[in-house]
Amino acid sequence: SIYTGFLGSEEQISVVREFIERFGNSPDETGKAPIILVDPVMGDDGVLYSTYTKALADGMRELSTHAEVLTPNLTEACFLTDTPYLDTAKMSEAEAENYVVSLLEKLSHICHGKIVVTGIGLAGGIVANAGRDEDGHIFWVKRMCQDISYPGTGDIFASVLLGALLQGND
């Protein structure tokens, strides 16, 4: 597999893109090409990280076109698709789901593989992940949100997801 996370400069994005272009279609000894997962770590809570520029965001959007699996959080999904960020926890469940499904559709024009939008706050203290597979099927995983935050949980999520995909799960 090829797995990208936080990239802090246009040069890093360019190096990773060149690596994917060079090795992304190279089959291993079993004849399988690597799974390419892009976790576009760019921001949280509707705001880009202070180190992120428009050029970096544009570079991450372009890099995301190479992904077979894309795992943005809600903020990143909005920036990748030029969609205004809305606080889904303040919406009805139907409004939040429609908003996220619209984001998934827009993201499918960037990434033609699997997409999972993480960290979607819903009313009633629910947090969700929503996904779209290559065939356009939408799925949701919803759980009660724990009243605590840990940096790096998105990294762990993407790592576990990639591990499951490498084990043959879909």
Side-chain angles (χ1 to χ4, degrees):
S1 68
I2 299 172
Y3 171 14
T4 72
F6 179 80
L7 297 171
S9 71
E10 293 172 66
E11 182 181 0
Q12 285 181 335
I13 291 173
S14 178
V15 168
V16 170
R17 184 185 61 250
E18 289 172 16
F19 184 89
I20 290 170
E21 289 170 352
R22 183 171 182 185
F23 297 107
N25 293 318
S26 301
D28 63 13
E29 60 277 353
T30 67
K32 294 182 183 177
I35 295 172
I36 301 167
L37 186 147
V38 174
D39 184 6
V41 181
M42 300 165 59
D44 282 307
D45 301 319
V47 179
L48 284 177
Y49 294 136
S50 62
T51 58
Y52 246 78
T53 63
K54 181 179 179 343
L56 279 173
D58 290 344
M60 188 57 74
R61 182 181 302 111
E62 195 283 325
L63 183 65
S64 296
T65 65
H66 297 276
E68 292 174 55
V69 182
L70 185 64
T71 60
N73 66 26
L74 186 60
T75 296
E76 295 151 355
C78 290
F79 278 103
L80 288 171
T81 61
D82 292 321
T83 302
Y85 175 86
L86 300 175
D87 186 349
T88 51
K90 294 181 180 175
M91 299 176 176
S92 71
E93 189 167 338
E95 289 171 326
E97 287 185 4
N98 287 337
Y99 175 69
V100 172
V101 168
S102 172
L103 280 172
L104 287 166
E105 176 63 28
K106 292 175 185 179
L107 287 167
S108 74
H109 297 285
I110 296 170
C111 170
H112 303 292
K114 296 171 174 53
I115 303 163
V116 180
V117 177
T118 63
I120 304 161
L122 299 175
I126 304 293
V127 66
N129 292 341
R132 184 181 195 280
D133 68 16
E134 303 95 327
D135 297 324
H137 297 103
I138 305 292
F139 59 90
W140 288 83
V141 177
K142 300 175 184 178
R143 299 284 185 262
M144 286 301 300
C145 184
Q146 302 301 310
D147 193 22
I148 191 164
S149 179
Y150 295 102
T153 55
D155 302 328
I156 294 169
F157 173 82
S159 298
V160 171
L161 175 62
L162 181 57
L165 293 169
L166 288 168
Q167 293 297 316
N169 293 294
D170 63 1

